[in-house]
Amino acid sequence: MNLFPGVYLDEIGRMLCKRSETIAVGESVTSGLMQLAFSSAEGSIGFYQGGITAYNIAQKYRHLNVEPIHALACNCVSAKVAAEMALHVCPLFGSSWGIGITGYATPVPESNNEVFAYFAIAFKGEIKKAEKLSPQKDETFNLQLFYCKEVLKTLMEIIGAKM
């Protein structure tokens, strides 16, 4: 079963391998789905360095160097947190590309009962793209899958444009 239809994971992998580039993931809201996506791509051993699911502020600070005062103020959900996750996952795993994603897949009071996520894509120490995703409410897994697909589509666009 392909969880990521319409997402060109194998093509992303081929492009990264062709340029001898690698990728790593720092995720929260997607809780490992980004890691699953990359690890299931053809030839992933040649471009995928790994990932980390840092689900709370302590882990985001400890492993991804997220600035704690800002993270506390926004419940770890902001464009700045996503960017820090993307930038800091690269040296953690020795990768040229990094993805950071944080947000809400379940409406909670901290999110004003809305669902949304911020993601950032970094390349060699520079944020190439950062966006907020604001889907309609849905089942938690469907939202996590939506976030993954949107980030992967954006990554494909960036990598393809870089060719």
Side-chain angles (χ1 to χ4, degrees):
M1 175 172 84
N2 182 1
L3 286 176
F4 306 96
V7 177
Y8 306 99
L9 284 164
D10 295 341
E11 183 66 20
I12 289 170
R14 281 191 290 278
M15 287 190 288
L16 290 174
C17 286
K18 184 176 180 179
R19 296 191 304 243
S20 299
E21 295 172 352
T22 57
I23 194 161
V25 179
E27 60 187 314
S28 179
V29 66
T30 47
S31 199
L33 282 177
M34 296 291 300
Q35 295 170 72
L36 174 64
F38 283 113
S39 67
S40 65
E42 182 180 305
S44 61
I45 193 74
F47 69 90
Y48 178 53
Q49 295 286 50
I52 184 170
T53 302
Y55 211 65
N56 61 49
I57 187 171
Q59 301 312 316
K60 286 180 179 86
Y61 168 73
R62 181 176 182 186
H63 300 291
L64 296 170
N65 300 319
V66 169
E67 198 281 306
I69 294 172
H70 170 76
L72 277 171
C74 65
N75 198 35
C76 289
V77 179
S78 73
K80 179 179 178 175
V81 171
E84 290 174 337
M85 292 171 71
L87 289 167
H88 294 131
V89 78
C90 293
L92 182 65
F93 285 90
S95 65
S96 41
W97 290 89
I99 294 174
I101 183 165
T102 186
Y104 300 99
T106 304
V108 294
E110 294 84 357
S111 71
N112 292 324
N113 292 312
E114 296 298 321
V115 291
F116 58 90
Y118 291 95
F119 76 89
I121 299 171
F123 177 66
K124 294 188 177 179
E126 180 183 334
I127 297 297
K128 293 297 185 182
K129 185 78 166 193
E131 284 186 14
K132 181 179 182 181
L133 301 172
S134 299
Q136 297 295 315
K137 291 179 185 173
D138 199 343
E139 297 292 321
T140 300
F141 180 76
N142 292 339
L143 289 169
Q144 291 171 313
L145 203 53
F146 170 81
Y147 295 148
C148 285
K149 289 177 185 178
E150 291 301 306
V151 171
L152 292 169
K153 283 188 231 177
T154 302
L155 177 65
M156 178 68 181
E157 292 168 8
I158 293 169
I159 291 174
K162 192 176 174 286
M163 292 294 285

